[in-house]
């Protein structure tokens, strides 16, 4: 470790320039919403600006990259429409049975810094933005972190002893990394003997949670409740941790207690350095608890080369300051000449539990108003003053951990970045079940970021894949413009994600969950010598200039950028604000979780207590967020636990005329004194007196809906559904799902109402949508960039409008309601379908040097290459060129012809008589052609590119003599994937308006 620390110290001295405060105002645009005119919205849709373009995790795999590759990577990003990159030095190449790539320069070393400054210089030249991950890998830490600066956890030993004269030696509790500090020695009589009581069954944890390694066999329930372990890996619902079980599991003995608080004795000053203790106690059975804290042994994860070590203490500002001064400051000093560095990042929490730090006791007293020391037997499994008080103490313990993680780590991170004119983009809100108030970790972020996954075996369910709603809510309650997502994350099968049927549906769902900036996971920097497809991280949807479809990818990226541009404009339209309480852990799960009870047809945001009391304002009957969003109703947590401060806010909102949905709150979450409890009970009685489930009553100028269902509250507030759909097919309905139904998101841009709708099904969907909007209607197709005016609609007196819509399989559309429309009319329904009649079939030529001979093949039918008789063709990965002669269909003057293919795998570039027409990659796989210009026989050329997967499988065959691929990834599995043009082609004839 010493050489690394010395290296950073030397670097800091060499580059002894004053800390820079140059103007880097781009990240300031991430706050508040963008005022965009309709003309600007149309222009940006056609040509999305820098801020709207996707970013990527630019993975310096095990530090293994070089300057030519860096330059090539950035130039290709620019050429394909990227807006920037999140530079992540990390490994992971050897995970899951793959081969680890050779290490490059160690993160932060002079050789690494030389590559880093070259990247900033090139990004400056190209006009790209760079976000820097301030660590190699994640779980902030590394070689400079000493055990005393590392993440901490409570540890203890206990002994049972009879009262009277006591003489014993208390063993030091289990210790890690040679670090241990005593907190207290406590003694207390045991009313029920030495046996530890049963813990509540919280139904927490999942297949990824770890077992305890404490000396005692500590139940997972207690580990979770004491913040000693993560309680799941997909934003677990922790509400059951508030249940003391006295009305269910422990109803037969609700007053059970091992000991009473007034009986707990603090004997710390009596213990000698060797653990010896002498005292005299009343008769009875006593437990002696020696409790302290040690390292949790949490370590940096997935880091490169020599950058290994402990993760820092997230509750200790000094630990962050030391890391910052040692590691980050030198990197910022050398970045002073460059303008491209805009944000600093850290990745998701994967360091397990943490529940103590050096000044935890004093911080706890400051935040909670009482001393935690005499309550610590609860952490060791004892019940003090009854199960109710013990549960509330553990709630206070977790709440204090969460508060300190924010105030001593993420707030400090933002503060220090701001001193350098930078914003932070920390992926701080999960999804692992960390002891955090997830929304609060984003309160000073320039760009809140969470994540979503493409379909994959590792995370197969929607609730394990989509964590976007949290970032969207954070932006709306804290006033941030961008909602970033680490996106299209996957763990296999490798190089097999279909653009149309895997990547697009996942992206579209993230948009309807609230995303407006994709940070693609991942773009690995892969030097030329690493071959094709080259070196790769074991996870992620692999994307770089070495993927087969990169050269044709512009149309796909344009789709992403068009949607992101529109979603960054204006303000969201969400009708309900759900307050998720002050329990910890606390997360905003996927949209379909619907804690507000408003789906389908409405949308919602989630707030925490910090934003509710600090950033959200009451304006008459509405709540107003700093982002400009207006909520018509407020829904309180289903746990019925809120603080006195929140109750006082609720009263003010009701006095202003607001609508609140909630059953009568039962108690605060933590321990409060008698005066606070009396005030709490009095206020509950004042507001909810006579409240019965389902009843509605007035309180001063407002309305109290006695229900946890926000939909009932919206009806009481006379708020119409934002969207309804009707269809002859019962399978077509509104649903926030990755596989069925129709979902949407709504933004208000100036005087225009903008809806984005998606169809997640493999079947086309025809339906009538009823929007809570009126005006001229435009339909914008982000696949093609077309903007058309719809004349097929019906307005209603209540301000709603019916619009008939047809969405192809996995299709999407924007529906805009504007005051004036200047765009052309839509095509009408198709008039007829005619087969494409090619003259003498198709000639197919395969890309050179990919294992297929250069001789052109001839085929009458369009079938997947995997069905051809030649193995080289079946295993081919790359681009094949189809060409054919055809006679143009005969059209009337008002007709238009579009060429439609049954299936395209994966992307096709269409040219007619040598001139490019369009790129096809999504349903309905159609290219519209200006037929009147065609005469006689014409030549159609289509270049189709598939994925690497098939050739990688072929190269695994020991009899394959010519190996085309070279990669460290060995886990290539699954069947051959459909490839090429598949099924008959046909002309679809439309009548134009």
């Amino acid at each position: 470790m010493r050489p690394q620390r010395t290296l950073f110290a030397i670097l800091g001295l060499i580059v002894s320039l004053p800390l820079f405060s140059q103007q880097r105002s781009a990240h300031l645009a991430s706050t508040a919403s963008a005022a965009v005119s309709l003309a600007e919205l149309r222009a940006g849709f056609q040509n999305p600006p820098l801020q709207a373009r996707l970013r990527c995790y630019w993975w310096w795999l095990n530090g293994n990259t070089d300057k030519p590759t860096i330059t090539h990577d950035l130039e290709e990003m620019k050429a394909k429409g990227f807006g920037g990159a999140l530079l992540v030095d990390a490994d992971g190449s050897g995970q899951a049975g793959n081969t680890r790539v050779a290490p490059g320069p160690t993160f932060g070393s002079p050789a690494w810094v030389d590559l880093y400054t070259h990247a900033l210089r090139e990004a400056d030249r190209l006009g790209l933005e760079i976000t820097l991950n301030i660590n190699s890998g994640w779980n902030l830490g590394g070689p400079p972190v000493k055990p005393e600066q590392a993440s901490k956890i409570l540890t203890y030993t206990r002994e049972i002893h009879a009262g009277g004269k006591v003489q014993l030696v208390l063993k030091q509790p289990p210790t890690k990394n040679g670090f241990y500090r005593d907190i207290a020695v406590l003694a207390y009589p045991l009313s029920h003997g030495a046996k530890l009581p049963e813990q509540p069954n919280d139904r927490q944890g999942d297949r990824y949670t770890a077992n305890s390694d404490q000396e005692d066999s500590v139940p997972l329930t207690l580990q979770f409740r004491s913040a000693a372990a993560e309680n799941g890996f997909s934003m677990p619902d922790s509400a059951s941790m508030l249940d003391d079980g006295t009305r269910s599991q422990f109803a037969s003995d609700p007053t059970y207690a091992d000991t009473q608080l007034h009986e707990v004795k603090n004997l710390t000053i009596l213990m000698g350095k060797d653990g010896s203790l002498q005292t005299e106690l009343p008769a009875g059975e006593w437990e002696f608890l020696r409790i302290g804290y040690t390292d949790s042994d949490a370590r940096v994860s997935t880091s490169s080369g020599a950058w290994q070590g402990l993760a820092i203490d997230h509750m200790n500002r000094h630990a962050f300051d030391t890391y910052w001064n040692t590691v980050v400051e030198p990197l910022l000093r050398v970045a002073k000449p460059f303008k491209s560095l805009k944000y600093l990042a850290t990745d998701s929490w994967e360091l397990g539990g943490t529940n103590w730090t050096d000044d935890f006791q004093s911080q706890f007293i400051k935040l909670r108003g009482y001393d935690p020391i005499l309550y610590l037997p609860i952490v060791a499994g004892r019940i003090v003053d009854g199960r109710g008080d013990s549960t509330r103490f553990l709630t206070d313990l977790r709440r204090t951990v969460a508060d300190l993680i924010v105030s001593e780590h993420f707030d400090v991170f933002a503060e220090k970045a701001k001193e350098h004119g930078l914003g932070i983009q920390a992926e701080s809100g999960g999804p692992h079940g960390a002891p955090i108030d997830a929304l609060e970790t984003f309160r000073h972020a320039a760009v809140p970021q969470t994540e979503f996954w493409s379909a994959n075996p590792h995370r197969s369910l929607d609730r394990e894949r989509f964590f976007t709603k949290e970032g969207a809510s954070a932006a709306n309650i804290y006033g941030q413009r961008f909602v970033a997502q680490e996106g299209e994350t996957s763990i296999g099968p490798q190089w097999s994600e279909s653009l149309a049927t895997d990547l697009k549906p996942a992206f579209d769902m993230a948009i309807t969950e609230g995303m407006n900036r994709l940070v693609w996971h991942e773009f690995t920097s892969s030097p030329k010598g690493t071959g094709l497809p080259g070196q790769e991280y074991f996870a992620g949807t692999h994307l770089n200039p070495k993927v087969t479809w990169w050269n044709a990818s512009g149309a796909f990226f344009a789709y992403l950028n068009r949607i992101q541009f529109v979603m960054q404009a204006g303000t969201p339209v969400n009708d309900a604000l759900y307050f998720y309480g002050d329990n910890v852990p606390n997360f905003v799960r996927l949209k379909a979780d619907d804690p507000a009870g408003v789906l389908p047809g409405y949308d919602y945001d989630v707030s925490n207590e910090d934003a509710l009391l600090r950033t959200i304002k009451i304006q008459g009957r509405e709540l107003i967020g700093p982002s400009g969003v207006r909520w018509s109703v407020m829904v309180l947590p289903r746990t019925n636990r809120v603080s006195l401060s929140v109750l006082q806010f609720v009263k003010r909102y009701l006095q202003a005329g607001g609508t609140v949905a909630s059953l009568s709150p039962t108690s605060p979450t933590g321990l409060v004194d008698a005066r606070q409890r009396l005030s709490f009970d009095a206020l509950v009685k004042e507001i909810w007196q006579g409240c019965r489930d389902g009843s509605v009553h007035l309180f001063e100028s407002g309305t109290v809906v006695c229900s946890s269902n926000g939909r009932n509250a919206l009806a009481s507030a006379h708020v119409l559904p934002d969207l309804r759909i009707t269809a002859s097919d019962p399978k077509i309905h509104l649903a926030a799902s990755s596989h069925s139904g129709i979902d949407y998101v709504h933004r208000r841009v100036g005087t225009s109402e903008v809806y984005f709708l998606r169809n997640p099904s493999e079947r086309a969907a025809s339906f009538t949508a009823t929007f809570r909007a009126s005006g001229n209607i435009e339909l914008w197709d982000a696949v093609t960039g077309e903007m058309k005016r719809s004349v097929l609609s019906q307005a209603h007196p209540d301000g709603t409008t019916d619009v008939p819509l047809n969405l192809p399989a996995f299709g999407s559309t924007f529906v805009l309601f504007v005051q004036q429309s200047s765009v052309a009319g839509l095509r009408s329904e198709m008039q007829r379908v005619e087969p494409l009649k090619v003259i003498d079939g198709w000639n197919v030529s395969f890309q050179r040097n990919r294992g297929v001979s250069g001789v052109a093949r001839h085929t009458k039918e369009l079938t997947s290459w995997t069905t051809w008789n030649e193995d080289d063709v079946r295993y081919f990965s790359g681009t094949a060129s189809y060409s054919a002669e055809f006679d143009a269909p005969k059209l009337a003057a008002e007709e238009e012809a579009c060429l439609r293919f049954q299936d395209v795998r994966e992307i096709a570039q269409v040219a007619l008589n040598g001139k490019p027409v369009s790129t096809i990659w999504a349903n309905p796989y159609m290219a519209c052609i200006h037929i009147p210009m065609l005469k006689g026989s014409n030549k159609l050329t289509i270049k189709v590119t598939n994925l690497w997967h098939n050739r990688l499988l072929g190269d695994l065959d020991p009899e394959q003599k010519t190996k085309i691929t070279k990669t460290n990834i060995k886990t290539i599995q699954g069947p051959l994937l459909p490839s090429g043009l598949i099924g008959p082609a046909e002309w679809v004839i439309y009548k134009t308006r």
Side-chain angles (χ1 to χ4, degrees), residues 63 74 84 125 458 461 500 534 776 838 841 919:
L74 292 172
R125 175 175 66 86
H458 179 67
L461 304 176
N776 293 293
V838 297
T919 299

Side-chain angles (χ1 to χ4, degrees), residues 554-568:
F556 174 72
F557 296 137
Y559 173 81
L560 311 183
N561 293 341
R562 288 180 185 123
I563 292 175
Q564 291 186 159
F565 170 74
V566 177
M567 290 294 101
Q568 290 173 8

